[in-house]
């Protein structure tokens, strides 16, 4: 039981360290935005986030 717990904690710690490599070693490092409205490729395809689509539908009166 303890061995399984320690292995799990070790795997999680390694995963967190790998996720933070960019943050730790790059000056002003940060995670890129994962929001659809920040993606140029999605904008080019005309894809909006669900909040924007809901707002547009409510303004048109067709949200129901």
């Amino acid at each position: 039981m303890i061995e399984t717990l320690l292995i799990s904690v070790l795997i999680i710690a390694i995963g967190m360290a790998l996720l933070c490599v960019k943050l730790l070693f790059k000056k002003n490092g940060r995670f890129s935005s994962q929001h659809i409205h920040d993606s140029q490729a999605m904008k080019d395809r005309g894809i909006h986030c669900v909040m924007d689509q809901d707002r547009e539908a409510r303004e048109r009166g067709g949200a129901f």
Side-chain angles (χ1 to χ4, degrees):
M1 173 78 175
I2 293 293
E3 293 173 358
T4 305
L5 182 64
L6 290 175
I7 291 172
S8 299
V9 169
L10 180 64
I11 291 172
I12 292 171
I14 290 171
M16 292 299 292
L18 291 174
L19 285 172
C20 294
V21 166
K22 183 177 179 182
L23 297 175
L24 296 174
F25 295 113
K26 185 176 178 182
K27 185 176 182 180
N28 294 329
R30 59 182 142 190
F31 289 113
S32 59
S33 175
Q34 300 298 314
H35 294 277
I36 291 175
H37 67 269
D38 292 334
S39 171
Q40 187 61 42
M42 293 294 183
K43 288 180 185 177
D44 293 343
R45 292 183 179 116
I47 298 172
H48 307 279
C49 77
V50 70
M51 298 300 287
D52 292 337
Q53 290 176 346
D54 184 54
R55 186 180 327 108
E56 292 170 2
R58 288 179 186 273
E59 289 173 357
R60 288 192 311 259
F64 302 111

